[in-house]
Amino acid sequence: MRLSQRRTIAGAAAVPALALLSACTAGQAAPAGPGSLPAASGTPLTVEQLAAEAGCAPKIQIDAAELRQGYCRTSIGDFFITTFATQRGKDAWMDQAPEYNPHLVGNLWTALAPRAVLDRLRERIGGDLHLRDHRVKSPSPH
């Protein structure tokens, strides 16, 4: 990935995160703590759990009560994973996310990367692909 692409992805990921941090209230819940992969139980996954499924140890860039964000560089490509304390926080972040960047979206998490990376990442961590409107998943190719 070229440096200009990394800067674009990093900037696109950081702007919504910073907007959310300034808009959050003290009444929100804290993020789920680490533990076994809880996908079947419905417990939200952590940045570290999602990254491990993708084959990396993330570099944490934002570690706040409202959200956590990590950067990964893997054989499938570079990506950001952001986890959220609440659905409200996730919705606020997605409302601020640039509509030209595709995302994978799961239970209280999102991943940001170029489309080709997201397609491969989805095979490892799941999620719904959102191409334009971040609240509406895109149809799967047949």
Side-chain angles (χ1 to χ4, degrees):
M1 178 176 278
R2 290 179 286 166
L3 181 59
S4 63
Q5 288 175 312
R6 285 195 302 265
R7 285 183 180 153
T8 299
I9 291 172
V15 170
L18 293 174
L20 175 63
L21 286 174
S22 65
C24 291
T25 64
Q28 292 178 323
S36 61
L37 283 180
S41 69
T43 303
L45 296 170
T46 66
V47 169
E48 291 81 2
Q49 290 168 325
L50 289 159
E53 288 295 305
C56 91
K59 288 186 173 190
I60 300 298
Q61 296 187 323
I62 300 172
D63 191 359
E66 298 85 6
L67 65 89
R68 294 185 74 234
Q69 184 176 77
Y71 170 77
C72 280
R73 172 168 277 167
T74 68
S75 61
I76 64 170
D78 299 350
F79 55 90
F80 291 88
I81 295 176
T82 306
T83 58
F84 304 90
T86 65
Q87 184 63 43
R88 181 175 157 218
K90 178 181 158 188
D91 290 345
W93 187 92
M94 291 178 71
D95 286 345
Q96 296 295 319
E99 291 192 14
Y100 55 85
N101 285 327
H103 285 72
L104 275 183
V105 178
N107 180 29
L108 297 181
W109 63 265
T110 185
L112 174 67
R115 172 68 190 271
V117 175
L118 291 180
D119 288 339
R120 293 187 299 266
L121 184 60
R122 187 177 185 193
E123 294 171 5
R124 295 186 183 187
I125 67 172
D128 296 319
L129 184 61
H130 293 228
L131 296 176
R132 288 194 178 90
D133 182 345
H134 296 295
R135 293 197 188 225
V136 179
K137 69 180 177 177
S138 302
S140 298
H142 292 54

